[in-house]
Amino acid sequence: MVKLKDREMNLREKILAADDIESETITVPTWGVDILIKGMSAGERVLLMQNAYDAKTEQVNMSKVYPDVVVSCAHDPETGEPIFARSDKEAILGKSSGAIELIANAGLRLSGMGSE
């Protein structure tokens, strides 16, 4: 059992203290860079899903999904800081589709949102 200041952690404390966001470093050959990809938190995932759903068409708008995933999941491998800001979403859509898809697919997979 994990100790917290001379006492055992209860189940709630264990869960809330867990480092449970998966991450991995990927190479983006198109740009010649390594990027740390971190999975989304539950809150980020909910926000992504809310922003991506188009109520009129009742479909997911992929032009919103990829930039949101890249902004949420792409981090500097040296500092752990996010690379992009929300204001970069339009610029992200102007970048190589292969590079963006590589980052987005890794972010979705690490967030439990694979191709299935």
Side-chain angles (χ1 to χ4, degrees), residues 14-15 20 23 25 29 44 49 53 84 87 93 96 106 109:
K14 277 184 180 178
I15 292 168
D20 60 354
S23 66
T25 300
E44 289 170 323
M49 293 168 70
Y53 183 73
F84 301 106
S87 60
L93 285 173
S96 161
R109 180 176 41 78

Side-chain angles (χ1 to χ4, degrees), residues 23-38 69-70 73-77 83-84 98-110:
S23 66
E24 68 182 42
T25 300
I26 65 168
T27 299
V28 182
T30 306
W31 299 335
V33 299
D34 291 336
I35 296 177
L36 175 64
I37 306 296
K38 292 183 180 181
V69 173
V70 171
C73 298
H75 293 77
D76 184 319
I83 296 171
F84 301 106
I100 296 303
E101 186 170 17
L102 181 68
I103 296 166
N105 284 342
L108 289 169
R109 180 176 41 78
L110 291 170

Side-chain angles (χ1 to χ4, degrees), residues 59-96:
Q59 294 182 1
V60 173
N61 182 340
M62 291 308 287
S63 68
K64 292 184 178 182
V65 171
Y66 275 13
D68 279 344
V69 173
V70 171
V71 168
S72 293
C73 298
H75 293 77
D76 184 319
E78 292 181 19
T79 66
E81 294 296 317
I83 296 171
F84 301 106
R86 297 262 172 237
S87 60
D88 293 323
K89 290 195 292 186
E90 192 65 35
I92 288 168
L93 285 173
K95 299 307 295 172
S96 161

Side-chain angles (χ1 to χ4, degrees), residues 1-66:
M1 186 121 337
V2 178
K3 299 272 184 178
L4 181 67
K5 294 196 178 195
D6 297 320
R7 66 178 182 89
E8 293 182 357
M9 294 176 75
N10 66 33
L11 182 57
R12 176 186 168 278
E13 291 168 330
K14 277 184 180 178
I15 292 168
L16 294 177
D19 182 11
D20 60 354
I21 304 294
E22 293 188 55
S23 66
E24 68 182 42
T25 300
I26 65 168
T27 299
V28 182
T30 306
W31 299 335
V33 299
D34 291 336
I35 296 177
L36 175 64
I37 306 296
K38 292 183 180 181
M40 289 179 268
S41 68
E44 289 170 323
R45 182 175 168 166
V46 167
L47 185 61
L48 168 80
M49 293 168 70
Q50 287 175 337
N51 289 340
Y53 183 73
D54 186 332
K56 290 180 184 176
T57 64
E58 296 183 355
Q59 294 182 1
V60 173
N61 182 340
M62 291 308 287
S63 68
K64 292 184 178 182
V65 171
Y66 275 13

